[in-house]
Amino acid sequence: MEKNDGPANRRRIPVDEAIVALLAQVEPVSDHERVIVLDAMGRTLVEDIPAPADVPPFDYATLDGYAVRASDTDGAAPDQPVSFEVVGVLAAGVVASRALGKGEAYRILTGAPVPPGGDAVVPFEGTDGKGFGGWDGSDAMSLGLAEKRVAVRVQVQTGADVRRRAEDQRAGEVLLRSGTRVRPAEVAVLASAGIFSVWVHRRIRIGVLSTGDELVARDHVGPLGPGKIRDANGPALLALVSRDGAIPVDLGQALDEPDSVRASLLKGVDQGCDLIVTSGGVSMGDRDMVKHVIRDDGEVSIWSIDLRPGKPFTFGRFHGVPIMALPGNPVSAMVTYELLVNPVVRRMQGDRAAVPVEVMAIADQEILNDSGRENFVRGVARIDDRVRGSVEWHVRPTGPQGSGILTSMARANCLIRLSPDTKRVESGGRVRLRLMDASPLW
Ligand code: AMP
Ligand code: MG
């Protein structure tokens, strides 16, 4: 069995290059399905969505007041009120029975359509109108109707306090583009447009396999046997797959034997996995079988990435199914998932924006990189608003960065990205950050 990766001085691929190379290896899945809008959360649209109609469908009042013709308020001032005849009351959902004439006003409440002929709303506070200060439970509406005239004390412009028809969505215009990932905001836009179902890429099925003779069964209760440890990577990777909106397929655990690894991977192929993610058994040791099995049954195309934590990594195909073999160290497994697997999952599910956002931050303490590789340091990032007017990100490492220190992942909300030739960042220096979860950590 071949163990060599090729020439020892083979160039390690920079992370960004590796991501580009990985994205070139996979395609969005071609099957689509029509789902109701709520089920589209986290999925990617495969169609441009045109607005079926104008939203809002009519001009309406944005506050309580009087609908008027703006030109009729010309010259109105606190000491020079202009008197209007009140011709009716319009509440939300009520349409005027007639057009507004010169010198006429409708009492109007927020959300009610502006009557034809009217083009502005005078806020109640700009008039001597009565009964608007909150409904007192009495006969407020008839009180309004009893009001025959109102004095307007402010001059308003055309369109004042009127929300315009179609200001949000214009019939026929593209509302959402194909390739957009649906978030709660997209759900709201679709709902406001009266769209009940959309075409999206189907979710991909991702097989997750842990490897290692030292792993006890996931449901093992009681003391661990000598030399045995619990399987953190299986659950971690299954959780990451779920977070990314794909369907996790639990392939369990394999021993460090070629036949065991092969049988587990074949299970993944049989179960229709679109992608398989493994952890462990991918370095150069005597018992590291995963890469050999992939090579024997398929091909290995990308490995040796200039990355810490997580150098041992392999992308290939196993019986035609894309496979990503991640290192066994739990931190390395999670970090390589975030950096390398997540973009692939997004692309396979049709997301146009496969690569996540990074921000610049100020290091609150010295950060060292003695790895000679691109180093992703677990960090805690926050916006510092103690300094008046400052909205800068600040960051500090979580502490010791050993790739076995899994609790540091739970303490981190970002990865601080240090290039191979950055040996040291001083306190106060600037660093690139990749936010994993921007909520504050305490
Ligand atoms: P490997 O990449 O297989 O050489 O594993 C590297 C380290 O990660 C070893 O200390 C393993 O025991 C550990 N490890 C491998 N797989 C897992 C797992 N699923 N959960 C927790 N630790 C693991
Ligand atoms: Mg192992």
Side-chain angles (χ1 to χ4, degrees):
M1 198 177 285
E2 196 214 338
K3 293 246 191 69
N4 211 330
D5 271 346
N9 61 354
R10 194 193 157 82
R11 186 176 86 100
R12 289 196 294 245
I13 316 167
V15 174
D16 284 338
E17 247 179 70
I19 293 170
V20 172
L22 287 167
L23 292 178
Q25 292 285 329
V26 294
E27 296 264 291
V29 287
S30 54
D31 349 343
H32 308 148
E33 55 195 20
R34 198 171 178 88
V35 296
I36 62 165
V37 164
L38 263 181
D39 289 343
M41 259 301 291
R43 318 279 295 269
T44 304
L45 300 173
V46 293
E47 49 174 351
D48 286 349
I49 312 267
D54 290 346
V55 175
F58 45 80
D59 295 354
Y60 70 88
T62 63
L63 42 65
D64 294 350
Y66 291 86
V68 296
R69 300 169 5 158
S71 58
D72 290 352
T73 68
D74 282 356
D79 58 351
Q80 211 179 324
V82 177
S83 178
F84 283 78
E85 182 187 349
V86 179
V87 295
V89 182
L90 302 172
V94 174
V95 177
S97 53
R98 69 181 201 56
L100 205 60
K102 187 167 171 48
E104 293 179 342
Y106 266 101
R107 286 184 63 164
I108 193 164
L109 306 184
T110 305
V114 173
D119 59 10
V121 173
V122 182
F124 174 67
E125 296 76 8
T127 72
D128 71 349
K130 292 175 191 66
F132 273 70
W135 188 41
D136 58 5
S138 66
D139 199 0
M141 295 302 272
S142 56
L143 184 79
L145 281 170
E147 183 180 53
K148 293 288 181 236
R149 298 201 71 81
V150 67
V152 168
R153 301 182 187 283
V154 291
Q155 181 173 331
V156 295
Q157 304 292 316
T158 302
D161 292 310
V162 173
R163 198 150 286 157
R164 286 286 179 198
R165 172 179 184 153
E167 76 168 15
D168 188 18
Q169 307 175 12
R170 187 166 299 280
E173 263 177 15
V174 174
L175 272 185
L176 299 173
R177 297 212 168 273
S178 179
T180 300
R181 202 157 61 96
V182 176
R183 304 165 303 162
E186 280 73 25
V187 169
V189 167
L190 291 164
S192 70
I195 294 167
F196 302 114
S197 63
V198 286
W199 284 97
V200 294
H201 284 278
R202 72 168 167 82
R203 296 179 191 277
I204 63 168
R205 296 168 64 78
I206 305 182
V208 171
L209 176 68
S210 306
T211 71
D213 293 341
E214 71 277 36
L215 304 177
V216 295
R218 299 243 183 89
D219 55 2
H220 177 88
V221 181
L224 302 170
K228 298 285 189 180
I229 60 166
R230 294 201 182 269
D231 177 2
N233 297 346
L237 294 169
L238 291 165
L240 285 161
V241 165
S242 299
R243 181 204 64 184
D244 288 348
I247 300 169
V249 178
D250 188 358
L251 301 178
Q253 300 167 338
L255 298 171
D256 291 318
E257 310 281 352
D259 289 347
S260 175
V261 171
R262 181 174 291 108
S264 296
L265 295 181
L266 282 171
K267 214 166 55 173
V269 176
D270 288 346
Q271 291 183 22
C273 290
D274 301 289
L275 174 69
I276 296 174
V277 178
T278 67
S279 67
V282 76
S283 0
M284 306 282 277
D286 290 343
R287 303 289 290 160
D288 292 327
M289 301 301 161
V290 174
K291 197 172 183 176
H292 306 306
V293 170
I294 299 171
R295 190 172 280 150
D296 289 349
D297 283 43
E299 55 172 327
V300 165
S301 47
I302 298 170
W303 71 96
S304 195
I305 295 172
D306 188 19
L307 167 63
R308 176 166 148 172
K311 179 172 158 275
F313 165 83
T314 292
F315 176 91
R317 277 177 202 276
F318 179 85
H319 292 259
V321 178
I323 179 163
M324 301 181 83
L326 313 184
N329 278 306
V331 170
S332 308
M334 293 194 77
V335 169
T336 45
Y337 182 98
E338 292 287 6
L339 297 177
L340 305 174
V341 183
N342 168 271
V344 165
V345 174
R346 291 171 79 146
R347 172 149 169 86
M348 290 182 77
Q349 299 201 115
D351 192 345
R352 274 183 314 170
V355 183
V357 176
E358 293 182 336
V359 298
M360 295 301 291
I362 297 169
D364 277 351
Q365 66 187 63
E366 178 186 61
I367 311 172
L368 300 176
N369 176 20
D370 54 8
S371 67
R373 296 192 233 133
E374 185 158 9
N375 197 344
F376 289 81
V377 174
R378 279 89 75 200
V380 183
R382 65 186 169 80
I383 295 264
D384 188 358
D385 51 9
R386 284 172 311 183
V387 186
R388 226 179 153 69
S390 159
V391 284
E392 297 243 57
W393 284 100
H394 284 248
V395 69
R396 60 175 173 77
T398 51
Q401 293 288 316
S403 56
I405 305 176
L406 188 50
T407 48
S408 68
M409 281 302 279
R411 283 195 296 273
N413 64 359
C414 70
L415 296 170
I416 306 164
R417 190 170 183 172
L418 304 175
S419 70
D421 38 71
T422 303
K423 305 277 177 260
R424 174 171 177 268
V425 177
E426 288 169 38
S427 176
R430 297 203 151 254
V431 286
R432 258 167 94 181
L433 273 198
R434 196 188 137 128
L435 295 169
M436 292 193 288
D437 175 354
S439 49
L441 292 172
W442 309 108

